[in-house]
Amino acid sequence: MHHRYLKILLILLGFFKVSFLTAQQQPNIVFILSDDAGYADFGFQGSKEFKTPELDKLAENSVKFSQAYVSAAVCGPSRAGMLTGKYQQKFGFEENNVPGYMSASGLVGDEMGLPLDQTIIAEHLKEVGYKTALFGKWHQGNADRFHPTKRGFDEFYGFRGGARSYLPYDEKNTTNRIEDRLEHGYGNFLEHKGYLTDELANEAISFIDKNKENPFFIYLSFNAVHTPMEATAVDLKQFPNLKGKRKTLAAMTLAMDRAIGKVLQELKKRGLSDNTLIVFTNDNGGPSDANESDNSPLSGTKANHLEGGIRVPFLMSWPNLLKKNTTYHYPISTLDLFPTFLVAAGGKIADTKDLDGVNLIPYLKGEKTDAPHEFLYWKKENRGAIRNQDWKLLRFPDRPAELYNIKNDMSETNNLAAQYPEKVKQLYKQLFKWELTLERPLWQLRREFEGKAADRMDAYKKTNTKQ
């Protein structure tokens, strides 16, 4: 009998040892998202004006993606795609922010949000043993039922809406919108001290310290560098040769870079860097008319489907698995984050439904040598775009479709539609075929704003987006 119990004990010890090793092998995942940054406004993207030393160091230790795309040209739907791994139009999250200047023909106000029947990446990572946290901007619905802590996040320190002040709200800096207020957990609204970008990093560092023995997922969702344009005097002094919004934007970007550096340093301090999968990207193209961001050499801005609206800087680092200081050139999408994170964590794609993203790791390791996507799609009401290999078609409500060869013309200056009518027809039909698989939008902007979007696109349809 004694030997039998000893045998059972040894088996149990072996089981716990294997479980422990499995947990230790699961990488920590840190997903860092900037907000409304310009494509060219980072040192690793070629900027000579802006200072981003921490991100530049990360780039040297990362795979850099030269053709990374978001699934929407504005914040809320872009994030919905990232979090679900699906084209957000599939579940009615049309390319409009929540809430906004909505038509009465759909959901409005706090009825708008990421539908509750959609499972996001945080929920899946919790199921495979991860501690999960969101620091910063949510923008997936203001109502309590959409709250991050009800969508898979163990911890939340941030705000529910789409933008807010970087300074604390008080009697001098006021807001009457609850979604702007800084929230700790669920329902505990308490304003920070100091500059919000720094505070978000400090909270992430605290979370790392508390969970260093467990695999964790951090979604560090900066509101930087979204408006309002607010920077500290110390950071502004770092850019004596810049003026106006451009100067403020540079200072805000420097603050974000410094905050990211602090988080990365904490990972290194705790001995976690080698087995941490880090992704840095931006939620959409820079709104050059609002914050003087620079999207060059791309044409266009936030809110349109020119490259400047949907193509973003993108870095991925995982020292234990990926080669550093390399570049991946095939087009990828932020929809790919969900399956990449899930598989890296030990989860199974088979446990998910209807993903449009793909696990990027086999492509980065050279195990798969073809392009991850045959087609990429974008849609906002009547406007749409499709990317197929080197070709890109843009469809508009107020003019004929345009066709570009992105490999030869990333600035979209040479419309080839008249030269290749059969390619236009083919891509036009393929875009419509995809649209037939989508849900009707749950909400829509008032029609007048579509006209303003067209005017905005025309104003920035050039390679030099600084105006």
Side-chain angles (χ1 to χ4, degrees), residues 168-229:
Y169 287 118
D170 53 25
E171 62 277 2
K172 295 180 180 179
N173 186 28
T174 61
T175 182
N176 58 5
R177 302 194 310 179
I178 195 71
E179 64 265 28
D180 293 351
R181 299 296 304 274
L182 191 65
E183 191 173 5
H184 305 237
Y186 173 69
N188 182 25
F189 295 95
L190 181 66
E191 286 298 299
H192 62 295
K193 296 179 181 180
Y195 191 68
L196 184 57
T197 301
D198 296 324
E199 291 303 308
L200 296 179
N202 292 340
E203 290 295 319
I205 288 168
S206 176
F207 181 82
I208 291 169
D209 187 43
K210 288 186 298 183
N211 295 282
K212 56 184 176 290
E213 304 298 332
N214 308 301
F216 56 77
F217 169 58
I218 291 174
Y219 176 22
L220 182 50
S221 178
F222 287 108
N223 52 318
V225 292
H226 196 293
T227 53
M229 306 297 289

Side-chain angles (χ1 to χ4, degrees), residues 260-317:
I260 291 170
K262 290 179 181 178
V263 174
L264 300 184
Q265 183 60 38
E266 182 68 15
L267 293 171
K268 184 177 180 180
K269 176 182 174 182
R270 300 296 176 188
L272 301 174
S273 296
D274 285 349
N275 196 35
T276 297
L277 170 55
I278 301 168
V279 169
F280 170 78
T281 190
N282 189 50
D283 64 346
N284 46 246
S288 307
D289 47 354
N291 67 2
E292 293 195 11
S293 50
D294 181 5
N295 292 321
S296 60
L298 309 178
S299 183
T301 67
K302 175 181 179 176
N304 61 64
H305 297 141
L306 294 167
E307 293 288 283
I310 56 177
R311 189 160 165 173
V312 291
F314 194 110
L315 302 174
M316 181 182 291
S317 169

Side-chain angles (χ1 to χ4, degrees), residues 358-377:
V358 301
N359 174 21
L360 291 174
I361 301 301
Y363 295 91
L364 302 182
K365 292 174 66 179
E367 297 167 0
K368 292 186 176 182
T369 57
D370 55 333
H373 299 276
E374 182 179 6
F375 297 101
L376 291 172
Y377 303 96

